[in-house]
């Protein structure tokens, strides 16, 4: 009689290509990237970093209501996006705007969404950072945790049935793996052999709950194996490791019709959101160490500089240009009028049902009675 141990004798291996100083680890096996792709990845990481800084400041100034940063997780965003094709469908959580950025979503489109103006594709009905784009096959962000994971499996199964040369990709945090949706999705994907890539950003924290209070397993990768899903653990701050792992995962998912789970080990350097103060539950020096010693942007910059593909002059020009573009986008987004009141009730039913007509009527009557209690920039 032998019981399986509750913990393995060996921890799952973590795949790395670059060391903390941006140098190739000897005998590393990775997918080669061209100078053009490497520079584009780095430029997108800097853009994402700058986007976070400026929009976070805008929220603190009261110009937008809410924001979530990706500080410390830029490599996962950009490198994974670069390894996919534009035919693949993305089901994000809320910390993956870099994927949308890589696919061509403009800085103006980001600003329009965060300010909820008339040009926002969601018509102001979503919180800031809840992006979505049909054009870029990027499903609209939902605040509810992990609901997108089974959706991705269903989409992947559909792609398989239609014999498409594409896969579905879904992102989530370590906290998402504590939801039932994660477990149902992995089992569903394994049984149906759906071409889906699960990318878990294991950043150590589910808001204020550390991974040590979430699970006792050896991270996330072993859970995939338990469900019959091929899995890998990757250094989430290593651009080349993420790019190579996602590139290989996509090839297996599409060609072999199988799900793949990628556990990207990283750290959430920023607060959970602008509604959070993470110094209340974790040491400030721990945050600073990850910001300075394990920053994925600095690490990748060292590698492209060592190849002669980047310089201090290019760095200065890029950061100045992106900052100016973002400030202009924000100024323009602020001036665009808000969506009209009627948009609160449209796009669900073809013909508005009586109860919604009644609600719209009551809302308009209330606004007319108490005009000072409602925003003056929302057209009636």
């Amino acid at each position: 009689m032998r019981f399986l141990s509750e913990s393995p004798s060996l921890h799952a291996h973590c795949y790395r290509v670059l060391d903390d100083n941006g140098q190739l680890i000897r005998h590393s096996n990775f997918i080669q990237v061209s100078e053009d792709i490497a520079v584009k990845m780095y430029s997108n990481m800097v853009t994402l970093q700058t986007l976070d800084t400026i929009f976070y400041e805008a929220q603190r100034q009261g110009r937008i209501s809410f924001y979530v940063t990706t500080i410390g997780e830029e490599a996962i965003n950009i490198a994974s996006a670069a390894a996919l094709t534009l035919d693949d469908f993305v089901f994000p959580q809320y910390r993956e705007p870099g994927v949308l950025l890589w696919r061509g979503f403009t800085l103006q489109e980001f600003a329009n969404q965060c300010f909820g103006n008339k040009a926002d594709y969601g018509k102001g009905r979503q919180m800031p950072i809840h992006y979505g784009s049909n054009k870029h096959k990027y499903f609209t962000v939902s605040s509810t945790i992990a609901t997108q994971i089974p959706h991705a499996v269903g989409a992947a199964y559909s792609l398989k049935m239609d014999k498409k040369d594409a896969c579905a990709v879904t992102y989530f945090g370590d906290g998402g793996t504590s939801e039932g949706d994660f477990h149902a999705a992995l089992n569903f994907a394994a049984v149906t052999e759906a071409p889906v890539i699960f990318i878990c950003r294991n950043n150590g924290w589910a808001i204020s709950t550390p991974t040590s209070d979430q699970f006792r397993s050896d991270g996330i990768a072993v859970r995939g194996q338990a469900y019959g899903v091929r899995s890998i653990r990757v250094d989430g701050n290593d651009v080349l490791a993420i790019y190579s792992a996602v590139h290989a995962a996509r090839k297996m998912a599409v060609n072999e019709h199988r799900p793949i789970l990628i556990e990207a080990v990283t750290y959430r350097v920023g607060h959970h959101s602008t509604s959070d103060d993470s110094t209340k539950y974790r040491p400030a020096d721990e945050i600073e160490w990850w910001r300075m010693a394990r920053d994925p942007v600095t690490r990748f910059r060292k590698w492209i500089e060592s190849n002669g593909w980047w310089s201090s002059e290019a760095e200065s020009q890029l950061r100045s240009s992106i900052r100016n573009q973002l400030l202009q986008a924000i100024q323009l987004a602020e001036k665009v009028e808000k969506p009209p009141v009627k948009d609160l009730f449209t796009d669900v039913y073809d013909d508005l049902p009586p109860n919604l007509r009644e609600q719209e009527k009551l809302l308009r009557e209330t606004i007319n009675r108490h005009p000072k209690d409602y925003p003056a920039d929302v057209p009636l």
Side-chain angles (χ1 to χ4, degrees):
M1 183 187 297
R2 273 189 292 181
F3 288 86
L4 296 175
S5 173
E6 70 279 5
S7 59
S9 56
L10 296 175
H11 289 292
H13 171 72
C14 186
Y15 171 58
R16 302 180 77 198
V17 176
L18 296 175
D19 64 21
D20 292 343
N21 293 316
Q23 301 301 309
L24 288 175
I25 297 171
R26 290 185 63 185
H27 309 301
S28 295
N29 179 23
F30 66 100
I31 304 296
Q32 298 290 334
V33 295
S34 66
E35 178 180 350
D36 288 345
I37 293 297
V39 170
K40 183 181 177 182
M41 284 198 289
Y42 181 72
S43 297
N44 271 241
M45 291 171 73
V46 170
T47 301
L48 182 58
Q49 200 176 55
T50 309
L51 186 84
D52 279 345
T53 300
I54 292 179
F55 276 116
Y56 188 89
E57 291 172 353
Q59 193 281 333
R60 287 303 189 233
Q61 294 165 0
R63 297 163 80 179
I64 59 176
S65 61
F66 179 79
Y67 195 72
V68 168
T69 67
T70 58
I71 302 170
E73 301 179 41
E74 295 90 350
I76 298 172
N77 271 246
I78 303 302
S80 66
L84 301 171
T85 75
L86 298 182
D87 292 325
D88 300 326
F89 288 83
V90 177
F91 293 78
Q93 189 171 342
Y94 42 61
R95 219 178 290 278
E96 297 86 22
V99 179
L100 196 49
L101 177 67
W102 179 270
R103 291 189 164 210
F105 207 67
T106 67
L107 299 182
Q108 191 62 61
E109 288 174 308
F110 280 112
N112 290 338
Q113 197 284 326
C114 286
F115 281 88
N117 63 33
K118 197 172 182 179
D120 167 29
Y121 302 130
K123 300 183 180 180
R125 294 179 293 212
Q126 282 274 23
M127 292 170 64
I129 67 89
H130 288 57
Y131 311 109
S133 174
N134 289 338
K135 176 183 176 182
H136 298 102
K137 294 183 172 63
Y138 189 96
F139 281 70
T140 302
V141 171
S142 171
S143 287
T144 47
I145 301 299
T147 54
Q148 77 279 9
I149 308 178
H151 297 166
V153 180
Y157 189 45
S158 174
L159 291 170
K160 176 184 175 181
M161 292 172 67
D162 291 340
K163 296 180 170 56
K164 299 290 187 180
D165 184 24
C167 66
V169 186
T170 182
Y171 297 81
F172 47 92
D174 47 273
T177 70
S178 297
E179 298 284 347
D181 302 69
F182 167 78
H183 299 274
L186 257 68
N187 191 56
F188 181 25
V191 172
T192 59
E193 298 180 327
V196 56
I197 304 174
F198 302 99
I199 300 180
C200 174
R201 299 175 291 90
N202 185 353
N203 63 23
W205 296 91
I207 308 184
S208 60
T209 305
T211 53
S212 59
D213 288 345
Q214 291 186 62
F215 48 77
R216 286 292 178 268
S217 62
D218 176 25
I220 310 301
V222 294
R223 301 188 188 186
Q225 188 178 36
Y227 282 109
V229 174
R230 190 172 293 174
S231 308
I232 186 173
R233 175 177 291 162
V234 183
D235 182 346
N237 290 21
D238 182 342
V239 170
L240 296 183
I242 290 290
Y243 179 83
S244 299
V246 175
H247 188 279
R250 185 191 183 279
K251 188 175 180 180
M252 288 185 284
V254 174
N255 295 344
E256 301 175 24
H257 297 296
R258 67 167 65 249
I260 306 290
L261 170 63
I262 298 174
E263 176 188 5
V265 181
T266 184
Y267 187 83
R268 195 197 74 213
V269 173
H271 304 299
H272 172 72
S273 71
T274 50
S275 302
D276 173 49
D277 178 4
S278 63
T279 61
K280 299 296 184 184
Y281 52 80
R282 58 181 186 172
D285 57 350
E286 174 184 296
I287 302 171
E288 191 61 21
W289 183 83
W290 278 90
R291 185 192 303 275
M292 301 302 296
R294 299 298 302 276
D295 176 42
V297 182
T298 302
R299 187 170 170 185
F300 192 53
R301 177 184 174 181
K302 290 178 179 178
W303 184 73
I304 59 174
E305 282 183 333
S306 69
N307 288 323
W309 298 344
W310 199 249
S311 65
S312 297
E313 292 77 17
E315 180 78 14
S316 178
Q317 291 175 9
L318 174 66
R319 289 189 179 273
S320 176
S321 173
I322 295 302
R323 181 174 178 80
N324 289 335
Q325 290 178 54
L326 272 167
L327 292 176
Q328 290 176 9
I330 286 176
Q331 290 170 4
L332 180 58
E334 282 184 307
K335 295 175 182 177
V336 177
E337 70 175 3
K338 301 298 183 185
V341 165
K342 69 178 179 63
D343 282 357
L344 280 171
F345 304 92
T346 58
D347 297 332
V348 176
Y349 297 97
D350 185 33
D351 293 316
L352 213 60
N355 63 315
L356 289 186
R357 292 182 187 277
E358 179 67 15
Q359 286 181 31
E360 182 179 358
K361 177 186 174 185
L362 290 173
L363 175 60
R364 291 181 182 280
E365 290 174 353
T366 304
I367 293 173
N368 289 329
R369 284 200 306 271
H370 309 282
K372 293 182 180 180
D373 295 331
Y374 289 85
D377 58 348
V378 177
L380 294 178

